[in-house]
């Protein structure tokens, strides 16, 4: 009898603690402190990773970074490609239990295109009827080409067919919905911890600046039963070396980067945890062409030709990166670069001589050196690459001062054109349209250097409209050729997606766009 009582007591104790034992927690290194968690105001991947855990767009991403149904269970495209109609899932709810409606998507889209919001990526949706006129203040927000046909049917009208807009509905938070019922009550304050409601697999419970962002499982999510991680912590880990130490100590379950100089050692000591996977990404240098020095294409070409990209990828970075001779990454679907920017067959001594000749022709030399500040983002890889490039420029007589900035400060200065020369990085789905967009004249928030070419814009727009994938790739290649010949910006290297992932984290799948939603992961210690 006594044994039965003890057994019953033990069972009660186990039952009482079962929820705590079963709770799964994931600690993610997020590289940098987010500036915002407002879907309409995001700018960096450090924000989109968190926002992607909090919200579902019309589409969502699976573990491999491919688009699948999200808040919409199905959609249709009209025969002319100009009308997209989405049927929302009946069980879609906000984390406070309110239903997700087509009106929430109307509100989300309108808010992102509202000039008062100044969404950085609104121009990616200029193909939507009246979008550009709304953003630039020529038409009211309610004239945007979106509407709720009924509470569960959302429609988007386009000015021309687009091959890439649908994927953006999964990837870019500015196309996510907002909780209309909450927004109407509290306005922009709706994103604060304790106030925010979200429609994705997680909800925001805490944000301690420069320490962590805490998310907890959203029990109202339509697929909550299959979400295996209960709590997610996102930590800003802009110091790569410190992040490695925290990972080794078990303080981080995964971190989305490690110092390039440690790759060989980490691969030797942590072979299963060290990842270096192909990326749809470009590392580049941008020159502020509102400055007369860099408006001179001879100067731009001289600076480009003086960079020894092979040395940077093999001796400075050394993770399997590739030298970049174009700004559309290799392996991009239906795209073959013209090779116009490839001078890899030219010996380095000849490159340096040509760089000096071009600089002299532009009026620079030993008695009047080209002098500027080269800004780079903090992070070990960025620092090492920037120092190497500065040395290469000094070898052709250029006087360079190095300046490092926190990531959000760096990109804010780029957007404001408060720089001379700076590094940059851009990642996207492996489709040329995204990378071509970086240099379009209407890419106000991403064309940091301000380069403009009417024929480039014409070819880029034609590529966006073209529905045949091969012809589309040809149009983009012709546009890129113009930009490479003009040295519109300087491509330097094609990165790899570097990550440290503990063996107990399951469901972390490599993919070119480096998308890893927590909802597909589990922790199995």
């Amino acid at each position: 009898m006594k044994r039965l009582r003890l057994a019953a007591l033990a069972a009660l104790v186990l039952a009482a603690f079962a929820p705590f034992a079963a709770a799964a927690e994931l600690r993610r290194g997020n590289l940098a402190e987010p500036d915002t968690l407002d879907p309409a105001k995001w700018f960096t991947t450090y924000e989109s990773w968190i926002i992607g855990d909090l919200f579902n767009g019309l589409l969502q991403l699976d573990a491999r970074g491919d688009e699948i149904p999200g808040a919409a269970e199905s959609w249709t495209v009209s025969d002319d490609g100009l009308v997209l109609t989405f049927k929302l899932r009946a069980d879609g709810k906000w984390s406070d239990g309110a239903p997700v409606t087509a009106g929430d998507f109307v509100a989300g889209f309108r808010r992102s295109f509202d000039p008062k919001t100044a969404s950085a990526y609104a121009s990616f949706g200029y193909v939507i009827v009246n979008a550009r006129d709304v953003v630039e203040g020529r038409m009211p927000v309610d004239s945007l080409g979106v509407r709720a046909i009924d509470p569960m049917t959302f429609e988007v009208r386009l000015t021309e067919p687009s091959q890439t807009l649908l994927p953006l509905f999964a990837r870019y938070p500015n196309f996510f919905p907002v909780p209309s019922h909450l927004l109407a009550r509290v306005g922009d304050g709706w994103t604060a911890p304790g106030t925010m409601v979200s429609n994705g697999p997680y909800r925001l419970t805490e944000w301690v600046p420069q320490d962590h962002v805490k998310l907890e499982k959203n029990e109202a999510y339509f697929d909550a039963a299959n979400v295996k991680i209960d709590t997610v912590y996102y930590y800003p880990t802009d110091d790569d070396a410190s992040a490695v130490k925290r990972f080794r100590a078990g303080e981080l379950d995964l971190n989305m980067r490690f110092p390039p100089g440690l790759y060989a050692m980490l691969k030797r000591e942590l072979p299963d945890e060290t990842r270096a996977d192909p990326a749809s990404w470009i590392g580049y240098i941008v020159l502020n062409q509102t400055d007369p020095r860099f408006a001179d294409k001879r100067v731009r070409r001289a600076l480009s030709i003086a960079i020894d990209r092979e040395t940077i990828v093999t001796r400075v970075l050394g993770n399997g990166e590739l030298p970049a001779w174009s700004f559309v990454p290799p392996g991009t679907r239906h795209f073959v670069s013209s090779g116009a920017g490839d001078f890899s067959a030219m010996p380095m001594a000849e490159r340096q001589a040509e760089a000096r000749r071009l600089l002299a022709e532009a009026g620079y030399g030993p008695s009047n050196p080209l002098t500027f500040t080269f800004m780079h983002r903090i992070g070990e890889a960025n620092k090492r690459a920037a120092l190497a490039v500065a040395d290469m420029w000094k070898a052709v007589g250029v006087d360079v001062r190095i300046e490092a900035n926190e990531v959000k400060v760096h990109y804010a200065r780029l957007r404001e054109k408060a720089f001379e020369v700076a590094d940059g990085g851009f990642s996207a789905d492996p489709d040329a349209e995204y990378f071509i967009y970086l240099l379009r004249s209407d890419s106000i928030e991403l064309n940091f250097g301000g380069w403009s070419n009417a024929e480039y814009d014409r070819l880029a727009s034609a590529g966006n409209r073209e529905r045949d994938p091969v012809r589309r790739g040809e149009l983009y290649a012709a546009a890129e050729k113009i930009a490479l010949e003009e040295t519109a910006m300087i491509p330097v290297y094609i990165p790899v997606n570097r990550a440290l992932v503990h063996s107990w984290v399951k469901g972390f799948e490599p993919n070119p766009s480096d998308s890893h939603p927590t909802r597909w992961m589990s922790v199995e210690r």
Side-chain angles (χ1 to χ4, degrees):
M1 189 70 175
K2 187 175 182 180
R3 286 181 180 175
L4 287 174
R5 287 185 185 139
L6 287 173
L9 181 61
L12 287 171
V13 171
L14 287 172
F17 284 93
F20 300 96
E25 182 177 288
L26 185 71
R27 295 156 299 175
R28 300 184 60 150
N30 196 50
L31 307 188
E33 173 74 8
D35 194 35
T36 181
L37 295 180
D38 187 328
K41 298 180 181 180
W42 81 285
F43 186 70
T44 67
T45 53
Y46 323 126
E47 294 156 356
S48 70
W49 285 333
I50 303 174
I51 297 171
D53 273 353
L54 290 168
F55 293 87
N56 262 181
L58 295 160
L59 284 68
Q60 63 176 315
L61 299 176
D62 68 10
R64 296 182 181 275
D66 294 325
E67 301 86 22
I68 60 174
E73 61 183 5
S74 64
W75 56 89
T76 58
V77 180
S78 63
D79 291 342
D80 60 6
L82 299 181
V83 181
L84 312 179
T85 306
F86 299 86
K87 200 70 179 175
L88 303 188
R89 57 176 69 252
D91 53 356
K93 294 181 180 179
W94 293 101
S95 51
D96 62 359
V100 176
T101 69
D104 295 329
F105 278 95
V106 171
F109 274 59
R110 286 180 177 175
R111 186 166 179 268
S112 287
F113 287 92
D114 190 329
K116 295 177 183 177
T117 306
S119 177
Y121 295 100
S123 52
F124 271 78
Y126 278 176
V127 70
I128 298 173
V129 167
N130 297 332
R132 183 167 187 166
D133 286 330
V134 169
V135 169
E136 296 180 0
R138 290 186 295 272
M139 297 185 74
V141 173
D142 60 8
S143 66
L144 185 69
V146 298
R147 65 172 178 142
I149 295 175
D150 59 49
M152 305 309 291
T153 310
F154 177 64
E155 180 186 271
V156 181
R157 291 176 288 116
L158 310 181
T159 58
E160 59 188 46
S162 171
Q163 308 305 306
T164 54
L165 191 62
L166 271 173
L168 291 183
F169 290 168
R171 297 177 183 279
Y172 278 31
N174 49 297
F175 295 110
F176 289 176
V178 296
S180 304
H181 62 292
L182 181 62
L183 187 66
R185 191 171 77 247
V186 301
D188 282 352
W190 76 274
T191 60
T195 301
M196 176 189 277
V197 300
S198 51
N199 73 321
Y202 293 93
R203 58 187 181 87
L204 176 66
T205 58
E206 190 174 66
W207 183 359
V208 180
Q210 299 300 332
D211 189 85
H212 70 268
V213 174
K214 181 182 178 183
L215 313 183
E216 292 186 357
K217 183 176 174 179
N218 175 14
E219 296 296 344
Y221 184 57
F222 74 88
D223 197 29
N226 291 312
V227 175
K228 297 180 175 63
I229 303 292
D230 298 291
T231 305
V232 193
Y233 289 93
Y234 278 92
Y235 298 97
T237 52
D238 47 17
D239 185 326
D240 295 347
S242 295
V244 171
K245 291 177 182 177
R246 294 180 68 182
F247 180 83
R248 284 182 173 277
E251 296 175 16
L252 297 174
D253 296 309
L254 63 90
N255 192 62
M256 300 300 290
R257 193 171 63 201
F258 52 78
L262 296 185
Y263 175 70
M265 180 269 288
L266 289 170
K267 195 64 180 172
R268 183 175 63 252
E269 296 181 4
L270 301 169
D272 295 332
E273 292 86 355
T274 304
R275 311 286 188 95
D277 302 308
S280 180
W281 189 291
I282 179 71
Y284 62 90
I285 292 169
V286 60
L287 305 103
N288 188 344
Q289 294 176 47
T290 64
D291 185 319
R293 294 171 295 173
F294 308 116
D296 189 329
K297 70 179 181 181
R298 295 169 299 185
V299 171
R300 300 197 301 268
R301 180 166 175 80
L303 293 175
S304 179
I305 206 168
I307 298 173
D308 186 348
R309 293 157 173 81
E310 297 88 344
T311 293
I312 288 174
V313 300
T314 57
R315 297 175 58 187
V316 177
L317 300 175
N319 298 312
E321 293 90 349
L322 298 172
W325 304 110
S326 64
F327 56 87
V328 178
T332 299
R333 294 185 293 256
H334 307 295
F335 183 87
V336 178
S337 179
S338 68
D342 188 350
F343 35 81
S344 58
M346 190 178 184
M348 200 60 220
E350 291 183 25
R351 291 193 216 174
Q352 291 174 330
E354 175 65 4
R356 293 189 193 97
R357 185 192 71 78
L358 288 166
L359 288 170
E361 194 176 285
Y364 301 101
S367 62
N368 180 38
L370 175 65
T371 303
F372 58 81
T373 297
F374 180 32
M375 247 169 46
H376 72 83
R377 298 155 294 163
I378 59 173
E380 186 63 24
N382 299 326
K383 177 182 176 181
R384 289 164 66 98
L387 290 171
V389 168
D391 284 342
M392 294 166 187
W393 284 337
K394 288 176 182 177
V396 297
V398 177
D399 185 7
V400 185
R401 186 176 79 86
I402 295 288
E403 178 184 323
N405 288 308
E406 290 184 6
V407 173
K408 65 181 180 181
V409 173
H410 185 86
Y411 280 113
R413 290 184 62 182
L414 291 186
R415 293 197 299 274
E416 295 163 4
K417 293 186 170 45
F419 73 100
E420 294 177 306
V421 178
D423 75 354
F426 182 76
S427 65
D429 196 46
D431 188 295
E433 180 177 334
Y434 300 118
F435 295 92
I436 293 295
Y437 183 77
L438 289 174
L439 291 168
R440 285 180 56 145
S441 300
D442 60 2
S443 179
I444 299 169
E445 290 286 341
L446 293 177
N447 186 352
F448 304 124
W451 179 79
S452 180
N453 182 285
E455 180 61 7
Y456 178 94
D457 292 341
R458 187 191 70 79
L459 289 165
S461 294
N464 294 358
R465 292 191 301 270
E466 180 60 54
R467 302 180 82 170
D468 176 77
V470 175
R471 176 57 183 156
R472 186 166 173 262
E474 292 170 350
L475 289 164
Y476 287 142
E480 188 201 50
K481 184 174 185 289
I482 293 171
L484 292 170
E485 290 173 342
E486 291 273 323
T487 317
M489 70 180 186
I490 302 174
V492 180
Y493 65 97
I494 307 297
V496 290
N497 292 326
R498 308 191 312 275
L500 293 172
V501 185
H502 274 298
S503 57
W504 54 73
V505 177
K506 309 300 180 184
F508 184 98
E509 297 286 347
N511 59 84
S513 57
D514 210 19
S515 300
H516 305 283
T518 304
R519 72 155 296 191
W520 306 111
M521 298 187 209
S522 61
V523 173
E524 300 175 15
R525 293 179 183 269

